[in-house]
């Protein structure tokens, strides 16, 4: 199984926001994360990196530069 | 194992660009994909969605709107 733990980077620190994520979708206003249990979370963030071996994804907060 | 197949969407069709991807990193000028065998590919694209259960990631070509 490939569920992934998603973190957001704030002030140089990683904060966990959702685990067991199985699906991520780019939306107009952010990234929509879905976990194994149906929970959804929309975060205003961009993907910094994904490590599929560590099952880890790190996001950065999106700036209002769009 | 969680290697992922990466596609890019062009004219509504999915084209495979790299498989066995284990790491993805956001760079200034695109997304840097790395596969299990050390191959790297930099693509000017954005992530549309990632399906961790299907081991599938779909990108869209980035427009010159930055």
């Amino acid at each position: 199984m490939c569920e992934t733990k998603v973190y957001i980077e704030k002030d140089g620190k990683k904060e966990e926001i959702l685990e067991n994520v199985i699906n991520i979708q780019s939306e107009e206003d952010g990234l929509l994360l879905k976990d194994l249990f149906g929970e959804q979370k929309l975060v205003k963030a961009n993907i910094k990196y994904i490590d599929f071996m560590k099952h880890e994804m790190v996001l950065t907060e999106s700036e209002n530069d769009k």
Side-chain angles (χ1 to χ4, degrees), chain A residues 2-6 18-22 24 50-52 54-57:
Chain A
C2 288
E3 308 93 52
T4 294
K5 212 173 246 194
V6 179
L18 194 62
E19 55 182 351
N20 299 309
V21 171
I22 56 163
I24 290 179
I50 309 167
D51 188 324
F52 290 95
K54 284 192 190 162
H55 299 198
E56 178 181 298
M57 171 175 318

Side-chain angles (χ1 to χ4, degrees), chain A residues 8-25:
Chain A
I8 193 156
E9 212 175 63
K10 282 183 187 177
D11 307 320
K13 283 178 193 160
K14 286 195 316 191
E15 251 176 47
E16 192 186 313
I17 47 174
L18 194 62
E19 55 182 351
N20 299 309
V21 171
I22 56 163
N23 194 289
I24 290 179
Q25 202 150 349

Side-chain angles (χ1 to χ4, degrees), chain A residues 1 13 15 23 30 32 40 46-47 51 54 57 59-60:
Chain A
M1 299 284 267
K13 283 178 193 160
E15 251 176 47
N23 194 289
L32 184 64
Q40 299 195 2
N46 297 311
I47 292 169
D51 188 324
K54 284 192 190 162
M57 171 175 318
L59 311 178
T60 49

Side-chain angles (χ1 to χ4, degrees), chain A residues 16-48:
Chain A
E16 192 186 313
I17 47 174
L18 194 62
E19 55 182 351
N20 299 309
V21 171
I22 56 163
N23 194 289
I24 290 179
Q25 202 150 349
S26 235
E27 301 282 345
E28 273 293 302
D29 45 354
L31 291 170
L32 184 64
L33 314 177
K34 294 181 193 173
D35 79 2
L36 201 53
F37 313 104
E39 197 188 332
Q40 299 195 2
K41 205 170 244 185
L42 185 71
V43 285
K44 284 184 196 290
N46 297 311
I47 292 169
K48 183 179 180 188

